[in-house]
Amino acid sequence: MIQMNVGTTAATAIDLSGPSSSAPVSPDAPGWAWQWPLTGARVVAPFRAPAHAYGPGHRGIDLAAEGSQDVLAPASGTVAFAGSIAGRGVVTIDHGGGLVSTLEPITARVAVGDRVGAGDSVGRLSVGGHAEPGVLHLGARRLGDYIDPLLLLGGARRAVLRPCCDQPGG
């Protein structure tokens, strides 16, 4: 289990095991520099990209919180969905540029079409889905493909290329 304490803005000095396996996100893309959707949360389940579109994986991160909390919009955008899916509350926000976030389980305070700003409350942490009580799932999609939300939150390690040991200078 990965544990990481986060505040109301992007976290610093995060050490995750291994590089991210998701598609790169440009800092110039709309929605870059997301903020954490819960205050004082910690990552308890990391993103695990599936081998193929229908393969097993974890298409987001799970954040543990203390008790019931306000769930905040990670970036500004328009609410694309607010309702129940398979017995759990879900809010999806379209951030523009093909970037979409999903928050669950949540008791929504917003409706489809509402404009939200980064850090606006979109609901309260609820129960349901795969997450244990007190855990929020944050998913992110870019142009329809799931990506690691930590790339947008500033917490994913970037791959570093190193020279091979049998090459000159390596």
Side-chain angles (χ1 to χ4, degrees):
M1 169 175 23
I2 293 175
Q3 290 192 1
M4 170 174 58
N5 292 326
V6 297
T8 58
T9 59
T12 58
I14 298 168
D15 184 19
L16 300 175
S17 57
S20 170
S21 59
S22 58
V25 175
S26 167
D28 300 324
W32 179 255
W34 281 13
Q35 68 177 46
W36 297 93
L38 292 174
T39 302
R42 58 190 164 85
V43 175
V44 294
F47 177 84
R48 288 185 308 280
H52 55 81
Y54 301 103
H58 187 234
R59 293 163 174 85
I61 59 174
D62 289 347
L63 302 170
E66 295 293 325
S68 181
Q69 288 196 18
D70 279 339
V71 177
L72 312 175
S76 62
T78 302
V79 176
F81 180 84
S84 182
I85 298 177
R88 68 186 177 278
V90 176
V91 169
T92 299
I93 304 169
D94 183 341
H95 303 286
L99 207 49
V100 176
S101 64
T102 300
L103 303 153
E104 62 179 271
I106 181 174
T107 300
R109 290 187 178 142
V110 292
V112 172
D114 287 353
R115 293 276 309 146
V116 295
D120 287 353
S121 176
V122 294
R124 296 282 291 172
L125 184 59
S126 185
V127 294
H130 77 274
E132 294 182 26
V135 173
L136 177 75
H137 177 83
L138 169 63
R141 286 178 287 141
R142 181 173 180 240
L143 302 174
D145 293 325
Y146 285 94
I147 61 171
D148 186 347
L150 288 178
L151 290 170
L152 301 163
L153 292 165
R157 289 181 43 186
R158 301 285 182 186
V160 176
L161 298 178
R162 297 184 180 161
C164 180
C165 57
D166 62 352
Q167 299 293 322

